Amino acid sequence: MNPFLEIRRRSGIDMFPLEGNPVAIGKSTKSDVCIADDKTVSRLHAAIESIGTNWYISDLGSSNGTFVNGERIWSQKALYPGDEIRVGATTIILRADMEELDATTLVADMPRLTAREHDVLVALCKPLLTGSVFTQPATSRQIADDLVVSIAAVKQHLARLYDKFGIYEEPDNENRRVRLANAALASGAVQLTDLRGSK
């Protein structure tokens, strides 16, 4: 099942396929999801966008706030199938198969990171900003070149990061980097603003 938004308006229920990126939500007729019949929704209220296989929502400085499962968000937040987003009096539900999302999106807490570990994670995740589902995170060499450090130093940082995020040794080391990148994004350790600022 392709992911879509179930929009519960006062006038009824609509479906919006998540095909474009980002998806703007607001009262403006130029919004992808236009909620013109709700006076408590701002002109540009919130945006939903994807990185890799994961979806995220951000409030765009709305007057009445954006809520996910009853909790107001103040920064970018990962979304999971069944999550209820409230903008004004309108409820929006993300509908998708759990199989479409990597299991590492269920990481709950962000571990404490040093500044250099954060830099390594940002460099690791940077290729995912393209939005392609099949984009791989950066290799150790790409991270080393990006941060102007040795590959050995990058590998030491990655080893500590695997431990902090509970991602243990597997035969497929490339899959391990994918899991680390997804965990970093899902936990909020790396956010879209970090990736955009690293261009």
Side-chain angles (χ1 to χ4, degrees):
M1 174 177 71
N2 292 327
F4 66 93
L5 299 176
E6 178 182 310
I7 306 159
R8 298 183 175 183
R9 312 169 186 264
R10 291 172 175 160
S11 57
I13 297 176
D14 294 325
M15 307 297 174
F16 183 88
L18 284 172
E19 295 170 347
N21 195 36
V23 174
I25 301 169
K27 192 160 40 179
S28 168
T29 55
K30 293 183 180 179
S31 298
D32 300 297
V33 176
C34 177
I35 309 176
D37 59 344
D38 189 339
K39 293 181 179 178
T40 58
V41 172
S42 297
R43 209 167 87 66
L44 287 176
H45 198 107
I48 295 176
E49 53 192 322
S50 66
I51 300 179
T53 58
N54 302 326
W55 291 95
Y56 298 84
I57 185 166
S58 303
D59 184 85
L60 299 178
S62 66
S63 300
N64 296 312
T66 301
F67 297 79
V68 176
N69 299 325
E71 181 180 335
R72 186 168 185 172
I73 62 168
W74 299 100
S75 61
Q76 181 186 72
K77 182 173 177 60
L79 292 173
Y80 308 104
D83 276 354
E84 290 193 4
I85 303 157
R86 186 166 55 81
V87 292
T90 302
T91 299
I92 300 171
I93 302 172
L94 174 64
R95 299 293 189 196
D97 287 336
M98 276 305 293
E99 291 78 23
E100 293 177 6
L101 301 179
D102 193 291
T104 55
T105 59
L106 300 178
V107 173
D109 299 316
M110 179 178 71
R112 294 187 69 133
L113 303 173
T114 66
R116 183 47 94 181
E117 287 170 345
H118 181 260
D119 291 343
V120 168
L121 284 178
V122 171
L124 174 74
C125 296
K126 193 187 297 186
L128 303 180
L129 192 59
T130 63
S132 171
V133 173
F134 301 107
T135 301
Q136 293 292 312
T139 63
S140 295
R141 172 161 293 287
Q142 289 170 326
I143 296 169
D145 290 346
D146 193 26
L147 300 179
V148 194
V149 296
S150 70
I151 293 176
V154 169
K155 288 183 176 179
Q156 286 180 342
H157 286 300
L158 286 174
R160 283 195 295 274
L161 287 165
Y162 290 139
D163 187 53
K164 286 186 176 186
F165 281 90
I167 297 170
Y168 302 107
E169 192 67 53
E170 289 187 0
D172 182 358
N173 193 51
E174 185 174 275
N175 183 50
R176 202 175 183 204
R177 284 187 302 106
V178 170
R179 291 172 59 211
L180 178 60
N182 281 333
L185 291 166
S187 67
V190 174
Q191 299 194 8
L192 282 178
T193 51
D194 296 321
L195 299 180
R196 288 175 179 146
S198 69
K199 281 185 175 180

